[in-house]
Amino acid sequence: MSKALGNNPGRDWEIFYKENELNWENKEYYTEKYMHSFLKSEWMHSLIAHLKPGQKVLEAGCGTGLFSIALAYAGYEVTAIDYNEAAIELSQNNLDLFNSQSEKKLKIDFSQGDLLNLEFQNNTFNMVFNQAVLEYFTDDDNFDKAISEMHRVTVAGGTVVAIVQNTRNPIRPLWNLMGLQFYINQPNVRLIHRQVLQKYFSRYFKIVSIDGLLPWKAVFMAPKKFHKVTYYLNRFFEKFVPQPKVLRSKIGIQLVVVGLKG
Ligand SMILES: C[S@@+](CC[C@H](N)C(=O)[O-])C[C@H]1O[C@@H](n2cnc3c(N)ncnc32)[C@H](O)[C@@H]1O
């Protein structure tokens, strides 16, 4: 008999979708112009760097569908699941919105599904990824099971990429001191840092690499009235003052872990 699993964050998100106004949903994102610039972002780069043109991708926990839509726009064959029907509806609406205001018409296979029990055969996708999903698996067995499911449905030679909040970022308490509230109204998150990701991913993948995203942005966080100054400081430093990977994965706002399936 399989081991009984603890809390599934899909259920916490179900409550979140019912009770909260989404403050991370923005209709202006679903245009070709926005997709162009989003595809140049560090988030998208961390995915596309591991793909060949036209390959098959699964987003496991798609939320608004933004990442899936951007990848479909870039020409990949995208399938996306989410535990919550509300998220699937939201993603489909966003795709319809994009198609209604763009020349390029995109197709994505959205469906309801559970990351802890993916309804796909072994070795199906060239890449399986998610963004802001794994950190909500506060139960260790479920965290492990989610990674093993992502691994199972990935082809040999393919990659699993997870982008997660750097919950132990040493600068994070400083944001709180400045009264900057991020990630409000979200379900509980687990402790995540480099070593945690390394430990769990190396159970399944022969090569694991970890990097930090937007490390300068973490440094230049400031109250709203200083946003213009910090925006330009941040852009300048990101362009001209690169940080070594070790530092990036210490202070990056998010961490990106890539597992290569042998
Ligand atoms: C922060 S949102 C992801 C945001 C997404 N990257 C975006 O760009 O909108 C987290 C999502 O993970 C989904 N999720 C949580 N547990 C899940 C599970 N067991 N299976 C599938 N999806 C799950 C939630 O329903 C929620 O939509």
Side-chain angles (χ1 to χ4, degrees):
M1 213 169 97
S2 70
K3 197 171 169 195
L5 293 172
N7 185 43
N8 185 334
R11 287 193 284 273
D12 300 332
W13 277 96
E14 192 175 337
I15 297 166
F16 176 89
Y17 281 116
K18 278 196 189 124
E19 294 182 353
N20 293 285
E21 284 276 313
L22 287 181
N23 61 4
W24 36 284
E25 165 66 343
N26 190 338
K27 295 274 172 247
E28 284 159 27
Y29 292 170
Y30 302 97
T31 61
E32 296 204 42
K33 188 170 171 226
Y34 184 83
M35 289 301 160
H36 262 295
S37 65
F38 189 50
L39 284 172
K40 291 186 198 140
S41 69
E42 284 195 27
W43 293 289
M44 278 295 127
H45 180 74
S46 65
L47 301 174
I48 290 172
H50 307 286
L51 284 167
K52 295 197 179 85
Q55 282 192 323
K56 283 173 88 168
V57 180
L58 171 70
E59 180 172 16
C62 60
T64 59
L66 177 65
F67 281 65
S68 281
I69 295 170
L71 287 175
Y73 181 66
Y76 301 101
E77 189 183 325
V78 184
T79 302
I81 62 116
D82 198 286
Y83 186 90
N84 284 295
E85 280 293 349
I88 293 304
E89 219 171 274
L90 181 62
S91 295
Q92 186 60 56
N93 287 345
N94 286 334
L95 178 66
D96 294 344
L97 178 64
F98 177 90
N99 283 339
S100 71
Q101 47 193 13
S102 314
E103 272 180 30
K104 216 171 174 177
K105 307 294 175 204
L106 308 177
K107 264 201 196 150
I108 296 173
D109 186 358
F110 286 117
S111 63
Q112 193 275 331
D114 187 354
L115 175 47
L116 293 175
N117 191 10
L118 291 171
E119 289 177 10
F120 301 104
Q121 300 208 328
N122 298 352
N123 312 316
T124 302
F125 300 97
N126 301 99
M127 174 188 281
V128 178
F129 84 97
N130 48 38
Q131 184 262 352
V133 173
L134 285 189
E135 59 267 54
Y136 301 102
F137 286 79
T138 50
D139 176 278
D140 287 347
D141 290 338
N142 276 345
F143 188 58
D144 180 81
K145 174 82 171 143
I147 297 165
S148 83
E149 276 295 89
M150 291 171 83
H151 172 269
R152 180 181 66 75
V153 301
T154 302
V155 297
T159 47
V160 166
V161 183
I163 301 172
V164 290
Q165 289 173 53
N166 184 7
T167 59
R168 215 178 64 172
N169 186 331
I171 304 177
R172 210 161 149 137
L174 229 149
W175 305 342
N176 296 341
L177 270 181
M178 285 191 285
L180 303 173
Q181 283 190 304
F182 296 98
Y183 306 115
I184 44 174
N185 291 338
Q186 67 167 347
N188 290 337
V189 286
R190 66 178 295 124
L191 180 71
I192 295 247
H193 50 78
R194 215 190 141 76
Q195 290 79 3
V196 169
L197 294 174
Q198 186 72 46
K199 174 177 147 192
Y200 281 87
F201 271 73
S202 51
R203 289 178 185 170
Y204 298 98
F205 300 94
K206 65 170 185 181
I207 298 178
V208 177
S209 79
I210 299 165
D211 196 4
L213 298 181
L214 305 169
W216 283 117
K217 199 165 179 188
V219 176
F220 293 118
M221 279 295 176
K224 237 186 177 148
K225 57 181 172 182
F226 302 116
H227 267 188
K228 250 201 172 138
V229 183
T230 52
Y231 173 79
Y232 286 110
L233 272 173
N234 178 34
R235 283 195 57 173
F236 175 86
F237 274 80
E238 268 182 8
K239 198 156 184 194
F240 298 110
V241 194
Q243 294 185 20
K245 213 169 173 178
V246 176
L247 197 57
R248 288 171 61 86
S249 62
K250 251 206 155 4
I251 66 169
I253 291 185
Q254 288 176 313
L255 298 177
V256 53
V257 51
V258 181
L260 175 67
K261 183 166 170 178

